[in-house]
């Protein structure tokens, strides 16, 4: 029994030896004597104004690094006008409701090392107009900045993966949200009541977005930028129906099928839909083009369940919302992407970006319908009326026969050396001899 009591006393003393509280400068810290780290747990000054949070504190000749602000630390301290973090601050987390109802704080510049912001940590900071979030931030919990009614814009760092429930709910002055990356999880209520918000900007192939929502017609303009060389073919898959301006700048081709002669056919469409794969061709001279959403009811939803594909014969045209790494030299021979005026097999390991599309079909090294003795895979592009407006061919998955080379083809796509009477294709156009 004595041994048991001794063991309990020893264990308790070890725990207390690791952690102790220290009051200093109107605030209380919990010190970890083993790691030499400190957590700010309470401000006992009843009427603080400018709060300075040091990078380190001293106790009995030892230096402790301040690494966290605890739950409720400055809760309801309505006299605080500014929070000053030491330039060398190592704070990594800010606890729940730690600054809630501090309604006189006008600006916040959080320390660079912060990775997590707790639930309702800055809720109802109604005077907050300027917010600088740290680049290392990963998580914004439930209600973090809810009811910050003076906040007009916010930039979400690239490392943020989660934006919790009601994170910016009630931020009625918020006009712009710029996502530097693509968070995987944005709760559907994260921007509820943001009645002034009119623009959300996303970079197309910066990463993955699994789901995002907008409510109350918040996102009326969604801009997605992607570099696309003028007059070149690319693939695209958008989580929204592109607007008229986008459709006037780009030609969208949907996968129509493959015929008995193995010719892949793509037909131009005037009404591309959300979540579908398309071959797209820029009609402008701009190197950077914008896709702008026509979202119905102000809502755009993108999820892994919404990705669509179109299958015909041995070919499938896939929408792609998650980066696809192709490394196996044999497996990647089944993948095809546009190359100038045609569709080419992928010969080298690569990563296919999000918001694009790819064709999956027969191994280019194997015999299949359409791959004749000359090793040619043929691709036809048709205009909106169904007329063939461009014909390209891939030789051994590499060399492209352009649509403007003055060669003559029959309607199956086979080159004709000595054409007789009939209808043929030359320079992508039907001709009658």
């Amino acid at each position: 029994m004595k041994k048991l009591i001794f063991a309990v006393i020893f264990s308790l003393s070890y725990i207390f030896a690791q952690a102790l509280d220290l009051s200093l400068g109107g605030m209380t810290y919990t010190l970890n004597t083993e790691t030499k780290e400190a957590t700010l747990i309470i401000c006992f000054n009843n009427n603080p104004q400018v709060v300075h949070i040091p990078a380190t504190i001293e106790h009995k000749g030892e230096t402790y690094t301040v690494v966290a602000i605890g739950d409720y630390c400055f809760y309801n301290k309505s006299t605080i006008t500014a929070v000053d973090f030491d330039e060398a601050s190592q704070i990594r987390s800010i606890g729940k409701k730690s600054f809630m109802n501090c309604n006189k704080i006008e600006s916040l510049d959080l320390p660079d090392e912060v990775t997590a912001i707790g639930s309702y940590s800055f809720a109802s900071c109604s005077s907050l107009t300027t917010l600088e979030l740290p680049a290392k931030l990963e998580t914004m919990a439930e209600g973090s900045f809810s009811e910050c009614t003076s906040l007009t814009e916010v930039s979400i760092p690239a490392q943020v993966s989660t934006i919790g429930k009601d994170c910016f709910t009630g931020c009625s002055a918020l006009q712009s949200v710029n996502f530097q990356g693509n968070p995987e999880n944005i709760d559907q209520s994260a921007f509820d009541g943001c009645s002034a918000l009119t623009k959300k900007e996303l970079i197309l192939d910066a990463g993955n977005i699994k789901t995002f929502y907008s409510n109350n017609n918040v996102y009326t303009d969604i801009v997605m930028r992607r570099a696309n060389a003028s007059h070149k073919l690319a693939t695209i898959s958008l989580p929204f129906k592109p607007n008229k301006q986008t459709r006037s700048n780009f030609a969208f081709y949907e996968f129509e099928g493959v015929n008995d002669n193995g010719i892949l056919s793509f037909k131009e469409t005037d009404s591309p839909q959300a979540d579908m794969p398309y071959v797209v061709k820029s009609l402008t001279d701009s190197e950077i083009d914008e896709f702008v959403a026509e979202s119905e009811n102000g809502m755009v939803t993108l999820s892994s369940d919404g990705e669509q594909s179109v299958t015909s014969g041995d070919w499938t045209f896939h929408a792609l919302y998650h980066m696809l790494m192709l490394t196996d030299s044999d497996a990647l021979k089944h993948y095809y992407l546009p190359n100038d005026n045609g569709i080419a097999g992928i010969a080298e390991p690569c990563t296919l970006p999000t918001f694009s599309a790819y064709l999956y079909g027969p191994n280019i090294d194997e015999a299949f319908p359409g791959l004749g003795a000359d090793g040619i895979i043929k691709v036809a592009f048709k205009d909106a009326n169904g007329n063939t407006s461009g014909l390209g061919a891939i030789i051994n998955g590499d060399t492209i026969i352009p649509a403007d080379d003055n060669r003559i083809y029959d309607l199956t796509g086979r080159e004709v050396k000595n054409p007789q009477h009939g209808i043929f294709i030359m320079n992508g156009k039907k001709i009658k001899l």
Side-chain angles (χ1 to χ4, degrees):
M1 185 67 179
K2 288 182 179 179
K3 288 182 179 179
L4 178 60
I5 293 171
F6 176 78
V8 170
I9 293 172
F10 178 80
S11 299
L12 288 173
S13 16
Y14 177 73
I15 291 170
F16 287 125
Q18 280 188 304
L20 58 89
D21 289 346
L22 171 69
S23 294
L24 188 68
M27 295 185 285
T28 300
Y29 302 83
T30 293
L31 309 182
N32 186 316
T33 57
E34 190 166 284
T35 63
K36 297 298 183 290
E37 293 179 337
T39 297
L40 177 56
I41 59 171
I42 192 168
C43 174
F44 55 80
N45 183 343
N46 288 329
N47 299 298
Q49 291 185 340
V50 177
V51 174
H52 177 72
I53 300 177
T56 61
I57 56 175
E58 301 291 327
H59 177 63
K60 293 184 177 180
E62 299 280 2
T63 300
Y64 291 80
T65 302
V66 180
V67 296
I69 297 176
D71 298 345
Y72 299 95
C73 186
F74 297 97
Y75 178 72
N76 273 343
K77 298 290 184 181
S78 59
T79 59
I80 298 177
T81 58
V83 183
D84 175 29
F85 293 93
D86 194 281
E87 188 174 344
S89 176
Q90 295 297 305
I91 287 177
R92 299 190 293 266
S93 65
I94 297 176
K96 67 181 181 181
K97 298 186 178 181
S98 50
F99 289 91
M100 186 175 181
N101 294 331
C102 294
N103 53 25
K104 291 185 179 178
I105 297 176
E106 295 183 1
S107 65
L108 273 175
D109 188 354
L110 297 180
D112 293 340
E113 299 300 315
V114 173
T115 60
I117 295 177
S119 58
Y120 298 94
S121 49
F122 296 96
S124 298
C125 290
S126 55
S127 296
L128 183 64
T129 57
T130 304
L131 175 62
E132 293 292 332
L133 296 174
K136 293 184 179 181
L137 186 63
E138 298 174 357
T139 301
M140 303 176 72
E142 177 179 348
S144 298
F145 293 94
S146 61
E147 304 300 331
C148 290
T149 52
S150 297
L151 188 63
T152 57
E153 60 180 304
V154 64
S155 182
I156 308 295
Q159 298 298 317
V160 172
S161 61
T162 299
I163 299 179
K165 177 183 177 183
D166 297 325
C167 188
F168 290 96
T169 289
C171 293
S172 54
L174 188 63
Q175 298 177 17
S176 176
V177 179
N178 177 28
F179 287 86
Q180 297 176 13
N182 288 325
E184 292 184 3
N185 300 294
I186 301 179
D187 189 89
Q188 72 178 72
S189 66
F191 294 94
D192 271 357
C194 296
S195 54
L197 184 60
T198 59
K199 183 176 180 181
K200 182 174 79 170
E201 191 167 278
L202 302 174
I203 307 303
L204 268 179
D205 32 12
N208 297 332
I209 298 181
K210 291 183 179 176
T211 307
F212 67 84
Y213 296 86
S214 68
N215 296 284
N216 304 325
N217 295 315
V218 169
Y219 302 136
T220 56
D221 295 309
I222 299 180
V223 180
M224 306 183 91
R225 289 193 176 96
R226 175 173 178 168
N228 196 76
S230 62
H231 309 297
K232 300 296 183 182
L233 294 173
T235 61
I236 196 73
S237 182
L238 300 172
F240 52 77
K241 179 181 178 180
N243 72 352
K244 292 180 180 178
Q245 182 62 43
T246 301
R247 299 200 300 271
S248 68
N249 291 336
F250 291 85
F252 289 81
Y253 296 92
E254 56 190 355
F255 183 44
E256 190 178 46
V258 54
N259 65 17
D260 293 339
N261 296 300
I263 298 176
L264 300 179
S265 178
F266 291 83
K267 182 179 179 180
E268 186 177 358
T269 174
D270 291 330
S271 184
Q273 301 300 307
D275 300 321
M276 294 295 290
Y278 295 98
V279 171
V280 64
K281 182 176 182 178
S282 173
L283 303 177
T284 68
D285 293 325
S286 172
E287 290 297 314
I288 301 293
D289 295 290
E290 291 184 348
F291 297 90
V292 184
E294 277 184 354
S295 54
E296 295 181 5
N297 302 320
M299 178 175 287
V300 173
T301 303
L302 168 64
S303 70
S304 56
D305 297 331
E307 298 169 17
Q308 304 294 319
S309 61
V310 180
T311 298
S312 177
D314 296 328
W315 295 87
T316 302
F317 197 29
H318 294 271
L320 186 62
Y321 287 135
H322 303 282
M323 287 187 189
L324 179 61
M325 296 181 66
L326 302 178
T327 56
D328 186 279
S329 58
D330 292 325
L332 63 80
K333 292 177 181 178
H334 291 275
Y335 293 84
Y336 301 81
L337 290 173
N339 188 339
D340 291 337
N341 294 315
I343 303 293
I346 298 175
E348 300 292 337
C350 64
T351 299
L352 303 184
T354 56
F355 299 103
S356 61
Y358 65 92
L359 274 160
Y360 186 88
N363 189 318
I364 200 168
D365 292 336
E366 298 174 354
F368 63 91
L371 182 62
D374 54 2
I376 294 178
I377 302 172
K378 299 179 180 67
V379 182
F381 290 93
K382 300 178 180 179
D383 62 24
N385 296 319
N387 298 316
T388 302
S389 58
L391 182 67
I394 310 303
I395 301 178
N396 296 325
D398 184 24
T399 305
I400 294 171
I401 298 176
D404 57 354
D405 66 347
N406 293 316
R407 302 188 194 195
I408 296 177
Y409 301 87
D410 64 20
L411 295 182
T412 68
R414 290 190 174 91
E415 185 179 356
V416 180
K417 298 294 185 182
N418 298 299
Q420 304 299 316
H421 296 292
I423 297 175
F424 301 91
I425 296 172
M426 185 174 73
N427 295 331
K429 304 293 184 183
K430 284 185 179 180
I431 60 173
K432 186 175 181 180
L433 300 179

